[in-house]
Amino acid sequence: MLKHVQVREYVRALVTGSAPGSPAPSERELVHRFGVARMTVRQALDALVVEGLLERIPGRGTFVARPRQSVSRISGYTEDMNRRGLLAESQTLLARREQAGPGVARALNISEGDAVIHWRRLRRGDSTPVCIEDAYLNEILLPGFLQSGMPTSLYDALEQRGLRPTWAEDSITADRPTAEEAGLLELPVGGVVLRQSRRAMAGDKTVEVSRSVYRADRYTMWVQLGG
Amino acid sequence: MLKHVQVREYVRALVTGSAPGSPAPSERELVHRFGVARMTVRQALDALVVEGLLERIPGRGTFVARPRQSVSRISGYTEDMNRRGLLAESQTLLARREQAGPGVARALNISEGDAVIHWRRLRRGDSTPVCIEDAYLNEILLPGFLQSGMPTSLYDALEQRGLRPTWAEDSITADRPTAEEAGLLELPVGGVVLRQSRRAMAGDKTVEVSRSVYRADRYTMWVQLGG
DNA sequence: TAGTGGTCTAGACCACTAT
DNA sequence: TAGTGGTCTAGACCACTAG
């Protein structure tokens, strides 16, 4: 294993979970611990600084950075609702193995007919219906997912498998609901909805494709662009 | 001046404008040209790689990266439409100096009553109405803007003044149009719209606050999240 | 004054690419 | 084979911070 990787992962393990502002080992301390040159230690720490895990303060030391609430974290419904101070609840309407149709196959970058997990949920915020979400997951990447008991937060479950999305593209439009959607969302007559399609990737693997329909009177999407 | 900064800026000047894939000077060539150590050159190039300006290919060399069509570029309507292959046209409905109301003042981070430029446009794509946009600009940052003749692209005009937005937050929701909006957008009865509110910053200066209303049947918003 | 990160040197060997 | 970037060494001096 490369030395700078060893040092980097040692430090990462040491500081993950530490409170922001906690000191990381000093460069010279790591030099002695690993018996490497200081440039090697700096290479390791540089990577963690670029990641946003650490920050350096000249003359003081290296510290755990406060997580920059940045674009780089892709949120799912649960996290989104919690950030709004609402309780996220979900009711599974459907969760089964299916064969990918042409659209889902193309979006997931797999072949038509390959196995996908189709998960349809009615999602509530503080007990009132907010959203219907149809998620399609690449089953190859998630063996045993359906059998393992469905989690509340898909993104938490993906994170535990090392597949938390780091990149996503959404397309968003306004529409009127279908009769079924209006029923599930308990929409008043004349209500409108926000439709969101998402393709989410973890590294170079497409893990999720989803279509969500939100009650527009209960949900405003918030998007941050740029650094 | 720090040596690695000298090298970095030399290389930046050399490659900006070069086609993606063009070779940058090799590390050893820069070592000779500047009479510095290779680690110093690597420090300079590392910064440009992190910026996304260069990419390294082991065994081959360092090259101008293809600009990662990234989140970091904030687009306005004109650029957005052009990317869709549509001709962006605008009709100014209103362009005048106003006193900031409480909401606009807070969003622009100025005081109530301060001068703002209010610019209202009907925006077309391939000659059909797509959007009504109300933009409010901080007049302090844009002296003489109203007198200089209104441009087609606000973001181009801001760029020429060194104020192109690098960060923005949008909130997006679905709604039914008002009677005035339906008229301007030539919306059929029962049509729905997408409402977008934007706050855009260039560095630490808030330059634009806008509200846009899009015909949902002619416009789907596309958003890219994460790296 | 002791410790920290920031910068810098002058080499070295490696795996890989292109000719 | 010559050139490239990737990794690594064993030092050095600086400005800054803290006790």
Side-chain angles (χ1 to χ4, degrees), chain B residues 6-25:
Chain B
Q6 282 182 40
V7 176
R8 194 221 303 149
E9 296 311 316
Y10 168 81
V11 175
R12 189 203 302 282
L14 206 61
V15 304
T16 45
S18 301
S22 310

Side-chain angles (χ1 to χ4, degrees), chain B residues 36-205:
Chain B
V36 297
R38 190 164 157 231
M39 286 306 302
T40 306
V41 167
R42 284 185 63 77
Q43 185 179 9
L45 297 184
D46 277 342
L48 297 175
V49 168
V50 168
E51 267 185 47
L53 188 63
L54 297 181
E55 66 181 328
R56 294 198 232 249
I57 304 181
R60 295 223 306 140
T62 306
F63 302 89
V64 179
R66 37 161 203 262
R68 15 177 186 183
Q69 40 177 10
S70 77
V71 191
S72 61
R73 185 160 182 94
I74 316 284
S75 302
Y77 179 86
T78 307
E79 211 170 332
D80 193 5
M81 283 294 122
N82 290 340
R83 213 163 31 218
R84 293 161 194 252
L86 300 178
L87 176 65
E89 294 169 303
S90 287
Q91 172 185 348
T92 292
L93 303 176
L94 189 155
R96 67 179 180 204
R97 199 167 170 280
E98 294 181 359
Q99 290 186 305
V104 167
R106 192 171 53 248
L108 281 177
N109 199 25
I110 59 178
S111 299
E112 205 173 330
D114 283 356
V116 294
I117 296 162
H118 178 188
W119 192 10
R120 182 177 172 86
R121 287 181 286 180
L122 175 63
R123 318 207 67 165
R124 292 185 164 86
D126 280 355
S127 303
T128 66
V130 171
C131 167
I132 306 164
E133 177 187 308
D134 279 285
Y136 296 85
L137 310 167
N138 185 348
E139 205 206 22
I140 299 288
L141 299 174
L142 295 163
F145 186 77
L146 278 172
Q147 285 71 45
S148 62
M150 304 309 267
T152 300
S153 167
L154 170 59
Y155 281 23
D156 279 356
L158 291 174
E159 186 161 25
Q160 282 165 25
R161 288 173 166 79
L163 290 172
R164 187 183 175 92
T166 53
W167 185 93
E169 56 181 359
D170 289 0
S171 59
I172 302 142
T173 190
D175 200 2
R176 282 181 295 175
T178 65
E180 183 196 9
E181 289 165 348
L184 283 167
L185 292 173
E186 301 170 13
L187 259 173
V189 175
V192 298
V193 296
L194 202 61
R195 293 192 189 278
Q196 173 192 35
S197 292
R198 168 167 293 188
R199 190 164 68 92
M201 304 186 65
D204 57 352
K205 294 185 276 286

